[in-house]
Amino acid sequence: MTAEKHSGFSSSFGVIMAAAGSAVGLGNIWRFPYICGKYGGGAFLLVYVFFVFSIGMVLMMSEFIIGRRSRHSPLKAYPALSDGHRRWMTVGMAGVLTCFLILSVYLIISGWTLSYFVDSITGKLSSLDDGSFASYFDTFAASPSRPTLALLVFLLLTMLVVIGGVKKGIEQVSKILMPILVLEILILCVRSLTLNGASAGLHYLFHPDFSLLGWEGVLAALGQALFSLSVGMGAMVVYGSYIPHDENLLKTSLWITACDFLIAVLAGIAIFPAVFACGHDPACGPGLVYQVLPAVFNSMGGLGSVFSAMFFLLLTLAALTSAISLLETLTATAVDYGYTRTRSTIIITIVEAILAVTACLTFNGGIWSSAQLGGRTLYNWLDLLTGAYLPPICALLTAIFFGWVMKKEDIRDELSNHGTLRIRYFNVFYYFLVRFVAPTALLFVLISGIIG
Ligand code: TRP
């Protein structure tokens, strides 16, 4: 353990803001609303709530326990808690690799978001007419210069915060950005809800249509819960290793989970009523934010460009705190092996930049989009692996480790802060969930994903 590892978060608020910053990201604001709409609104929401507060939260708590107990990054934490069995290092490796790959896709989408923020401020978006947003996005995303430049700027910002360290970089920045984010999303919700015809959007979001849910929707809800809470990938092990000994881990996890869930719902409330009120199609999937929302903002008249700038800033900030956590997971691993923070962060950033830029140029219509393997471009492969397969695989491994390898007494000790907190229903709730329910559900997701 290096001296740097001892400097963790300094307050409960800091812990919650940093970890909520990791969780709240593109997954909440860009992905959740369209998936929720696709699988039957309220019906999806019900299943989602269940997964988030059961399996998702329990996994988050497990990762915090692994991190805090071992005071190590994932690669060393798993062997340290299994009497030095090096084979469990694989669980940590899978997580760190997943974070590395997620970050590359994340940077591409964050770059688009940053560019759209700039386009909102400069008035470029508001000068386009309604019918041209789809083609504007396609041309923009396929161009070799702007998206790559934007992703590099975004990565540079992320790098600077991580170099700043745990307390002065990550915790400080999260404590400032997260409240701004909440304020912004509330303003956007109010604007959206006060438009004429907003109620159709609320109906779309909350009315439970079980015919649209199906098995696929249930599985999508579990996948989304894992992705949105950033669990199973070692990121929360790293943040867990920075949590002070006297924090109540159950309470902390509950706060973060509630925050993440609420912001996803608020994003839906900010988006759908406005989409309906302005007569646009809500079911256009991933392109909703870049191809439909700019038209919605345009039809709001004078203040539309202010709301547009506000929305894309919101999305950029949410993405930034998550990207910080992804990069920190990689940096913490290097630091745990004795490398300095600055040096490791810079080297990892360079490698990540090469992967992200290459993948960005293979995006639909991009200059390298004809370079394909098995019918898929590099971007498509990364998207498939990080969106569908790797998170549940890593989460399954974590649940197995936690429920079947780690000592039960260590878990109880960590959860109760060495016996100073009373924990109720430990066996019934917590241990049963993590030992049996979580692995079964995750195995199901995986198998059905592979078959599907
Ligand atoms: N939770 C993030 C979001 O909702 C995405 C994410 C997945 C993530 N795994 C992570 C972020 C690990 C940080 C670390 O967008």
Side-chain angles (χ1 to χ4, degrees):
M1 228 186 300
T2 66
E4 224 168 331
K5 290 288 290 181
H6 289 289
S7 66
F9 296 129
S10 61
S11 64
S12 310
F13 183 65
V15 172
I16 294 172
M17 288 301 108
S22 168
V24 174
L26 296 169
N28 302 59
I29 302 167
W30 165 69
R31 200 160 176 245
F32 173 81
Y34 79 78
I35 297 194
C36 184
K38 180 174 170 193
Y39 292 113
F44 179 88
L45 205 58
L46 279 177
V47 184
Y48 183 69
V49 167
F50 172 74
F51 284 140
V52 162
F53 284 95
S54 58
I55 298 176
M57 194 176 99
V58 157
L59 280 176
M60 181 183 290
M61 214 149 58
S62 309
E63 281 196 62
F64 283 160
I65 291 174
I66 293 171
R68 192 168 75 169
R69 186 88 187 164
S70 68
R71 293 284 178 206
H72 275 302
S73 66
L75 255 55
K76 288 190 177 178
Y78 289 90
L81 298 176
S82 58
D83 296 327
H85 285 302
R86 287 176 65 86
R87 62 171 171 273
W88 290 106
M89 196 190 248
T90 347
V91 184
M93 277 181 188
V96 172
L97 175 72
T98 304
C99 284
F100 177 72
L101 298 180
I102 290 185
L103 184 54
S104 66
V105 182
Y106 223 83
L107 290 171
I108 297 174
I109 302 172
S110 306
W112 298 343
T113 313
L114 187 60
S115 293
Y116 268 60
F117 169 61
V118 174
D119 287 351
S120 306
I121 302 183
T122 56
K124 194 162 173 187
L125 282 184
S126 58
S127 67
L128 298 172
D129 41 77
D130 267 18
S132 57
F133 286 105
S135 62
Y136 177 77
F137 175 75
D138 291 339
T139 317
F140 157 77
S143 111
S145 51
R146 271 197 83 199
T148 47
L149 184 67
L151 88 79
L152 290 174
V153 171
F154 185 87
L155 178 57
L156 198 68
L157 283 176
T158 312
M159 182 188 86
L160 291 177
V161 178
V162 173
I163 288 179
V166 178
K167 233 188 263 211
K168 295 212 183 85
I170 302 170
E171 183 176 351
Q172 209 50 37
V173 167
S174 308
K175 282 202 295 205
I176 299 169
L177 294 190
M178 291 309 284
I180 297 181
L181 186 144
V182 172
L183 187 71
E184 275 198 60
I185 203 164
L186 289 175
I187 296 175
L188 288 165
C189 281
V190 171
R191 170 71 283 206
S192 175
L193 287 172
T194 48
L195 290 166
N196 267 341
S199 57
L202 289 181
H203 186 265
Y204 181 77
L205 185 61
F206 292 116
H207 178 77
D209 184 351
F210 283 95
S211 68
L212 289 175
L213 185 66
W215 257 120
E216 202 186 305
V218 174
L219 299 173
L222 181 55
Q224 173 65 14
L226 298 177
F227 186 84
S228 186
L229 290 173
S230 312
V231 292
M233 295 156 241
M236 292 301 179
V237 171
V238 170
Y239 277 9
S241 74
Y242 304 145
I243 297 182
H245 270 303
D246 53 355
E247 286 299 317
N248 181 336
L249 291 182
L250 173 63
K251 235 190 204 163
T252 307
S253 314
L254 189 62
W255 268 107
I256 298 162
T257 308
C259 238
D260 186 68
F261 174 73
L262 261 178
I263 291 190
V265 174
L266 287 176
I269 297 179
I271 292 175
F272 286 117
V275 169
F276 273 89
C278 302
H280 289 280
D281 175 19
C284 79
L288 186 68
V289 161
Y290 305 98
Q291 298 175 326
V292 176
L293 281 190
V296 170
F297 292 124
N298 263 6
S299 51
M300 285 180 185
L303 278 179
S305 49
V306 175
F307 289 113
S308 170
M310 210 180 226
F311 178 81
F312 287 108
L313 180 65
L314 164 78
L315 199 53
T316 306
L317 298 184
L320 183 62
T321 48
S322 298
I324 290 169
S325 157
L326 287 161
L327 185 58
E328 174 63 20
T329 307
L330 307 171
T331 293
T333 304
V335 169
D336 212 7
Y337 279 93
Y339 297 95
T340 68
R341 172 168 282 274
T342 309
R343 197 145 166 228
S344 3
T345 311
I346 292 175
I347 294 173
I348 295 164
T349 300
I350 294 173
V351 181
E352 194 73 57
I354 295 172
L355 177 65
V357 168
T358 313
C360 185
L361 295 174
T362 68
F363 188 75
N364 234 351
I367 52 172
W368 291 341
S369 56
S370 54
Q372 298 189 350
L373 191 73
R376 285 195 171 87
T377 63
L378 177 61
Y379 175 87
N380 295 142
W381 275 112
L382 288 172
D383 189 43
L384 182 74
L385 285 174
T386 60
Y389 293 108
L390 291 175
I393 291 178
C394 296
L396 176 63
L397 292 174
T398 308
I400 292 175
F401 177 85
F402 203 77
W404 298 87
V405 179
M406 211 177 142
K407 290 190 199 80
K408 192 173 170 186
E409 278 325 301
D410 284 357
I411 300 174
R412 195 195 285 272
D413 188 52
E414 202 57 45
L415 207 55
S416 67
N417 289 357
H418 312 293
T420 56
L421 295 173
R422 217 180 121 215
I423 40 168
R424 274 173 284 182
Y425 314 120
F426 176 78
N427 278 325
V428 201
F429 244 168
Y430 181 71
Y431 209 55
F432 178 72
L433 260 177
V434 80
R435 214 166 141 88
F436 298 104
V437 183
T440 315
L442 289 163
L443 205 59
F444 232 79
V445 174
L446 265 171
I447 294 173
S448 71
I450 292 165
I451 294 171

